[in-house]
Amino acid sequence: MSKEVEFIMGKNPVIEALKASHPINKIWIGEGTQKGQVAKVLQLAKENGVIVQHVPKRKLEQLVDSQNHQGVVASIAAYQYAEMSDLFDRARERNEEPFFLVLDEIEDPHNLGSILRTADAVGAHGVIIPKRRAVGLTQAVAKASTGAIQHVPVVRVTNIARTMDELKEEGLWFAGTDALGTEDYRQANFNMSIGLVIGSEGKGISRLIKEKCDFLVKIPMVGQVTSLNASVAASLLMYEVYRQRSPIGRS
């Protein structure tokens, strides 16, 4: 994954990026900037499902450290996204069953960075994230991943549910976490082509995505809190997959 510029500014550069379907995390538009090409920015952003936020122009100057933004600034992926075939290629090259992470609307860059870090540690073949309502590959994610962003392919898809259906056709089974799961994660069988589904920080796995899971597992909790941080839950499950695939004593 090669590094790219994090921000682009100006009406025409942002319009061209949108026309080219360049991965854009978010667009900021200065308050009071509505006419002419800004209307085109808004139209293209809507067509591409890109979040737009109207902010004071001082905010734009803080983002790009410049006054030449023309009232429009876009945050683009700090790192390039992979293709789904890249994930399968990695599994094939290692002669392993596919091991993917599917993240359902993870919004905290520190959580995504931490998940990437653990995914690298356990040898996961890649991570799948949605284009909307989720954090992308920003510099904050890169920093939190402590370099793992360079080694773990991340695929960005339009529709997680549809992607899961397509991956099932490729032989993947999907395991999600849920407090009402029928099986303790330590008893579940992950020794197969597996996709671990991790829900968002606040809501967990959405209803539709939960229905797409082949089985739901629970993480036992005996204390007073009712849920774990998304990256912690992901780490527990990833290491259980690793434990089952690489038992002690196997070379």
Side-chain angles (χ1 to χ4, degrees), residues 139-205:
Q139 291 288 2
V141 171
K143 184 176 181 181
S145 80
T146 62
I149 196 170
Q150 297 280 10
H151 307 292
V152 180
V154 177
V155 179
R156 206 179 192 198
V157 301
T158 302
N159 188 306
I160 288 287
R162 188 185 310 133
T163 298
M164 289 173 69
D165 284 337
E166 293 168 354
L167 290 174
K168 286 183 180 184
E169 295 293 324
E170 298 289 337
L172 259 77
W173 293 75
F174 289 96
T177 55
D178 189 80
L180 300 178
T182 56
E183 197 170 14
D184 187 309
Y185 84 100
R186 296 168 298 174
Q187 298 173 311
N189 178 19
F190 296 119
N191 203 4
M192 61 184 78
S193 295
I194 192 75
L196 296 180
V197 184
I198 307 300
S200 66
E201 294 86 359
K203 300 175 293 184
I205 302 174

Side-chain angles (χ1 to χ4, degrees), residues 30-133:
E31 291 175 348
T33 311
Q34 297 289 343
K35 298 179 181 178
Q37 289 173 298
V38 173
K40 184 69 172 177
V41 171
L42 292 169
Q43 175 194 337
L44 289 170
K46 184 176 182 180
E47 291 173 1
N48 285 273
V50 177
I51 298 169
V52 174
Q53 183 177 357
H54 295 271
V55 297
K57 290 185 178 178
R58 177 178 289 275
K59 169 71 172 178
L60 301 182
E61 294 169 10
Q62 292 172 345
L63 286 171
V64 296
D65 195 24
S66 171
Q67 295 182 349
N68 298 324
H69 48 67
Q70 299 179 323
V72 180
V73 172
S75 168
I76 65 174
Y79 290 77
Q80 291 179 348
Y81 292 96
E83 300 294 330
M84 195 68 71
S85 59
D86 296 328
L87 277 59
F88 282 101
D89 287 345
R90 282 168 68 90
R92 197 174 300 112
E93 288 165 4
R94 298 177 186 175
N95 197 29
E96 297 170 345
E97 295 285 349
F99 174 15
F100 302 163
L101 275 291
V102 178
L103 309 184
D104 185 20
E105 300 182 9
I106 296 290
E107 297 177 340
D108 187 332
H110 297 96
N111 273 337
L112 178 53
S114 179
I115 288 170
L116 289 174
R117 189 174 179 178
T118 307
D120 178 61
V122 301
H125 302 120
V127 175
I128 300 165
I129 63 174
K131 288 184 177 179
R132 302 189 66 184
R133 295 187 295 276

Side-chain angles (χ1 to χ4, degrees), residues 195-220:
L196 296 180
V197 184
I198 307 300
S200 66
E201 294 86 359
K203 300 175 293 184
I205 302 174
S206 62
R207 181 189 58 80
L208 176 59
I209 302 304
K210 194 181 295 184
E211 290 174 355
K212 295 289 183 182
C213 291
D214 295 294
F215 55 99
L216 296 172
V217 298
K218 58 186 176 183
I219 297 174

